[in-house]
Amino acid sequence: MRSIVLLGSCLAVALGTIGCQDQSTEPTAPTLGTGAELRMQSATLGRFDLDRGRLKLPSSAWMTDQYFADAARRAIDPGDYVCDPSTPVIDWFLGEVNEFATEEPEIFDLLFNQLLADLVPTFDALLFETEDTPQFFGYNGEYTHVLLKTERDVKRFWDIFSDDIQLIGMHGTMLLDVERVAAVYESFIFGVPPDDAAFFAALIRDAVLQSEVLDGGNHPLFSFNAFAFSTEDLPIPDKIIMGDGVLAGYAVVGFADVAPQAIYAHEFGHHIQFENDYFNDPLATAGDPPEQMRYTELMADAFGAYYLTHKRGAAMNRKRVEQFLQVYFQVGDCAFTNPGHHGTPNQRMAAAQFGFDVADQAQKQGHILTSDQFHDLFVAAYSDLVAPDAT
């Protein structure tokens, strides 16, 4: 039986997160209070034990979206590898979160440390949201058209069965919907009793409305993530989930024209692996968990790059894609002992370069390799792609 698989660009940030629809409920004025009143409300949470370290999917689950791993955890000589934990998009994200924590420390403490509200939009999208309701992407829906087009094009490009893969938006504004937030707390992930879940949901709604920084939930703290999901253990459809915050971050640093397509293409690469059982490749099952994860992540990078520059794929300018990927890959993934290790930035670029070259050097220009054919080429080249720092 297939187990739950959470895969992805894993933009689930250094703060320790794991890595939707228009709101139908009209919010009323917040009742949370300020200062002493807020501290009193927070104090009542002392009897609850919400520990993000204990929030887990079933033990069979794959969790590979710890994209912003701890750069200090290195198991090899850092002199052999180049791994810069600071990039423009990470600096932007941390700046946004720091502004919130500095300007509204009590609300930040309540939402992040006590209620773990930053996780709620992720689990809402993962557990409950489907294409049965209209999806939008970006704080104001500005990426809806390009992502829906990319979804159609990628599914036509690759030869796997993909009609069942749903594209879902992740939105921090769902935190204003008390019923949806309560449902997440009541789920098996949190396991909070109904009355307490409703209490938490009301606190979150009031806190978000009271905040002058969070813009009604449109803040990257709640949606700086993107990942693929698949399972046969739960009645949940296959998904690619795209958070508003990560799209906003890459727009700020100048990659709005490339990021949606590139992120989706990478996530779809994970679904190719799932459908074709590449997670059971010898290289994906042997060795330590970080090595296994690196293999599957680099393969998804290669699948994505092949599509992005192929004449019958996205047909993007190769130089422009390379510029984006330099930022996309330079995300501080230097945690070589972490099970979520994706490979060093240079290794990831080498995998993307491989995908570019396969598309560019094909004898029959315009011909699309099957996923199995591309996979076999990648496996044959893998040892070169992971040479020390892929030099």
Side-chain angles (χ1 to χ4, degrees):
M1 178 178 292
R2 291 190 293 185
S3 61
I4 296 173
V5 181
L6 270 174
L7 305 159
S9 56
C10 319
L11 302 173
V13 245
L15 290 175
T17 65
I18 53 177
C20 287
Q21 272 65 333
D22 292 300
Q23 305 301 318
S24 58
T25 304
E26 288 294 329
T28 58
T31 60
L32 192 63
T34 58
E37 293 177 340
L38 178 55
R39 288 191 291 273
M40 185 178 299
Q41 287 270 26
S42 299
T44 65
L45 297 174
R47 67 186 180 89
F48 299 107
D49 185 19
L50 293 181
D51 180 356
R52 69 180 62 234
R54 296 199 301 208
L55 301 181
K56 300 181 184 299
L57 288 162
S59 59
S60 59
W62 283 35
M63 298 289 293
T64 62
D65 60 347
Q66 303 306 307
Y67 205 68
F68 297 95
D70 183 0
R73 297 181 60 189
R74 298 186 177 187
I76 58 177
D77 181 1
D80 289 339
Y81 289 80
V82 180
C83 213
D84 185 356
S86 178
T87 68
V89 72
I90 296 299
D91 292 344
W92 170 81
F93 174 83
L94 295 178
E96 294 291 300
V97 174
N98 184 63
E99 178 189 20
F100 175 33
T102 301
E103 295 190 9
E104 300 176 339
E106 292 175 333
I107 295 178
F108 177 84
D109 181 65
L110 176 67
L111 293 180
F112 184 76
N113 293 320
Q114 299 186 58
L115 292 173
L116 316 187
D118 55 298
L119 305 183
V120 171
T122 293
F123 286 118
D124 172 68
L126 190 157
L127 298 176
F128 301 118
E129 294 305 298
T130 71
E131 288 182 343
D132 289 342
T133 53
Q135 295 296 312
F136 70 95
F137 304 93
Y139 291 145
N140 300 302
E142 60 269 35
Y143 299 104
T144 301
H145 175 75
V146 67
L147 273 170
L148 292 179
K149 181 180 185 302
T150 299
E151 178 189 28
R152 292 191 300 268
D153 292 346
V154 171
K155 287 183 174 182
R156 283 196 294 259
F157 183 84
W158 289 112
D159 61 347
I160 66 166
F161 176 75
S162 57
D163 291 350
D164 60 339
I165 301 172
Q166 299 191 9
L167 176 58
I168 303 297
M170 183 201 307
H171 312 292
T173 52
M174 64 79 53
L175 295 172
L176 300 180
D177 189 321
V178 172
E179 291 185 2
R180 285 172 62 181
V181 173
V184 172
Y185 279 117
E186 290 181 48
S187 73
F188 69 90
I189 298 293
F190 285 87
V192 175
D195 288 346
D196 295 332
F199 173 61
F200 294 170
L203 278 180
I204 288 174
R205 176 177 175 273
D206 291 347
V208 172
L209 287 173
Q210 179 175 297
S211 171
E212 297 181 0
V213 175
L214 294 180
D215 192 20
N218 281 334
H219 191 280
L221 177 63
F222 305 123
S223 58
F224 199 75
N225 202 356
F227 57 93
F229 173 83
S230 189
T231 180
E232 282 189 350
D233 294 339
L234 297 170
I236 300 174
D238 288 357
K239 296 178 180 180
I240 290 176
I241 295 176
M242 301 288 292
D244 292 340
V246 67
L247 296 172
Y250 279 106
V252 167
V253 299
F255 290 102
D257 60 323
V258 184
Q261 302 94 314
I263 294 172
Y264 183 92
H266 174 95
E267 303 309 334
F268 195 88
H270 287 305
H271 279 290
I272 295 173
Q273 294 168 333
F274 187 85
E275 293 294 328
N276 291 351
D277 203 28
Y278 297 153
F279 289 110
N280 285 321
D281 284 356
L283 287 169
T285 57
D288 295 332
E291 294 296 322
Q292 298 170 13
M293 184 59 63
R294 180 176 67 178
Y295 171 75
T296 57
E297 288 299 330
L298 294 183
M299 189 192 303
D301 289 338
F303 274 124
Y306 180 69
Y307 162 78
L308 289 171
T309 53
H310 196 285
K311 289 185 177 180
R312 291 175 60 190
M316 286 187 170
N317 178 281
R318 176 169 173 166
K319 183 64 175 178
R320 182 59 173 160
V321 174
E322 287 180 342
Q323 290 171 345
F324 166 73
L325 292 181
Q326 287 287 357
V327 175
Y328 182 64
F329 294 159
Q330 299 271 346
V331 291
D333 187 9
C334 308
F336 305 109
T337 61
N338 190 300
H341 178 50
H342 282 48
T344 69
N346 284 352
Q347 288 170 337
R348 299 194 67 191
M349 183 55 71
Q353 187 75 39
F354 169 82
F356 297 153
D357 292 342
V358 172
D360 185 57
Q361 298 171 8
Q363 293 183 353
K364 296 180 180 180
Q365 286 294 306
H367 174 70
I368 302 174
L369 296 175
T370 68
S371 52
D372 278 336
Q373 288 172 332
F374 185 87
H375 163 265
D376 291 345
L377 293 175
F378 174 83
V379 171
Y382 184 70
S383 60
D384 292 332
L385 302 179
V386 295
D389 213 28
T391 55

